[in-house]
Amino acid sequence: MRIDVITIFPPLLAGAFEHSIIKRARDGGIVDIQIHDLREYTDDRHRTVDDSPYGGGAGMVMKPEPWFRAVESLRPQGNPGHVVLLTPQGRRLEQRLVQEMAAEERLIILCGRYEGVDERIREHLVDDEVSIGDYILSGGEPAAAVLVDAVVRLQPGALGSSHSVVEESFSDGLLEYPQYTRPPEFRGWRVPEILLSGDHGAVERWRREQQIERTRTRRPDLLLTGDDVSETTS
Ligand code: 6GU
């Protein structure tokens, strides 16, 4: 998979893709991630990317020309890529949407700034708009880090064999069960005896009960929707 991210703050994102699972996936050729500086696609001396809004009002609006120039210069003839604008006005990111994005051969991610982008970018350049939740970030960069991480770890081979996508929270619509490791007692707090019992069937039942109870108390909305994204997880 190929992912291009266009931003006015490349250093903000570079570090996010240089560690752990994403680094390994990049090193292993599973994903090719390229970060591009929007200012490289300006044509004036000041490398201007924004301007004041028509009609007046506070804040600045990102100009269309650098975005169009950037995306058009990145697109090879054959593979245009799915162009995603990160904005609080977008579709809210959930695992189902992550799976949709992960199935693309190529993503071109545009990091908007909160104050806004010229509407013609939305209308004529972008295929999809995504938000990572109902709160305001100053720019799309942290959202790009979130989206790329979630998408990369779904690429075949990105996770080691010790790690199963299927067992994770949300892949079956439930939260994770509680986990413990050594020591069996820490500051007087014991690991649940059942986990030390060696009875695998009992452990499995206990974990399932914990998942359901935890989901019921913390995220009852997950039980109510009946959403189950596991069928599309492989
Ligand atoms: Cl994608 N961008 C900004 N600026 N704020 C957000 C967001 C995106 N998602 C949630 N809040």
Side-chain angles (χ1 to χ4, degrees):
M1 181 183 201
R2 161 84 180 248
I3 303 176
D4 295 283
V5 185
I6 309 171
T7 169
I8 53 171
F9 301 118
L12 205 58
L13 277 171
F17 305 143
E18 287 167 4
H19 302 278
S20 184
I21 284 166
I22 300 185
K23 174 179 166 45
R24 219 182 42 219
R26 293 176 87 176
D27 292 347
I30 288 168
V31 64
D32 176 7
I33 302 174
Q34 302 292 333
I35 302 170
H36 310 275
D37 186 347
L38 182 68
R39 291 190 197 279
E40 298 291 312
Y41 300 91
T42 56
D43 60 1
D44 65 311
R45 208 159 50 81
H46 297 104
R47 313 219 296 167
T48 309
V49 293
D50 58 8
D51 204 341
S52 44
Y54 275 121
M60 298 288 271
V61 176
M62 298 192 93
K63 294 164 62 60
E65 305 95 314
W67 288 112
F68 277 80
R69 211 176 279 132
V71 170
E72 285 164 1
S73 81
L74 286 175
R75 285 176 142 158
Q77 299 68 22
N79 181 1
H82 189 65
V83 180
V84 178
L85 174 66
L86 293 171
T87 162
Q89 301 175 40
R91 300 158 74 194
R92 186 156 52 182
L93 189 64
E94 291 176 353
Q95 193 64 17
R96 190 182 298 270
L97 180 51
V98 171
Q99 287 167 354
E100 201 182 297
M101 298 284 162
E104 296 285 344
E105 221 169 280
R106 180 172 192 191
L107 285 179
I108 301 178
I109 299 174
L110 317 186
C111 300
R113 69 156 62 178
Y114 166 61
E115 293 165 56
V117 302
D118 188 286
E119 192 66 17
R120 290 166 289 190
I121 296 168
R122 291 204 153 79
E123 288 179 346
H124 305 293
L125 187 63
V126 160
D127 298 313
D128 221 341
E129 299 180 38
V130 170
S131 161
I132 62 166
D134 292 339
Y135 43 83
I136 301 301
L137 304 168
S138 355
E141 286 78 9
V146 167
L147 176 60
V148 169
D149 186 290
V151 161
V152 167
R153 61 201 309 294
L154 288 187
Q155 297 306 304
L159 302 181
S161 52
S162 65
H163 202 119
S164 157
V165 172
V166 176
E167 274 182 27
E168 288 180 312
S169 286
F170 300 113
S171 64
D172 60 2
L174 295 174
L175 300 182
E176 266 294 4
Y177 48 78
Q179 299 264 36
Y180 297 86
T181 186
R182 281 179 282 271
E185 182 175 330
F186 170 69
R187 297 189 176 178
W189 302 308
R190 300 232 7 116
V191 171
E193 285 308 320
I194 200 157
L195 297 178
L196 311 175
S197 69
D199 181 341
H200 297 303
V203 167
E204 213 162 286
R205 283 190 298 279
W206 180 84
R207 285 179 165 169
R208 197 68 186 174
E209 286 161 19
Q210 291 290 319
Q211 282 194 282
I212 292 164
E213 181 55 16
R214 191 161 270 209
T215 308
R216 195 180 64 75
T217 54
R218 297 185 184 198
R219 292 293 307 276
D221 56 302
L222 292 178
L223 296 173
L224 290 172
T225 60
D227 277 359
D228 183 347
V229 296
S230 62
E231 281 151 49
T232 43
T233 305
S234 55

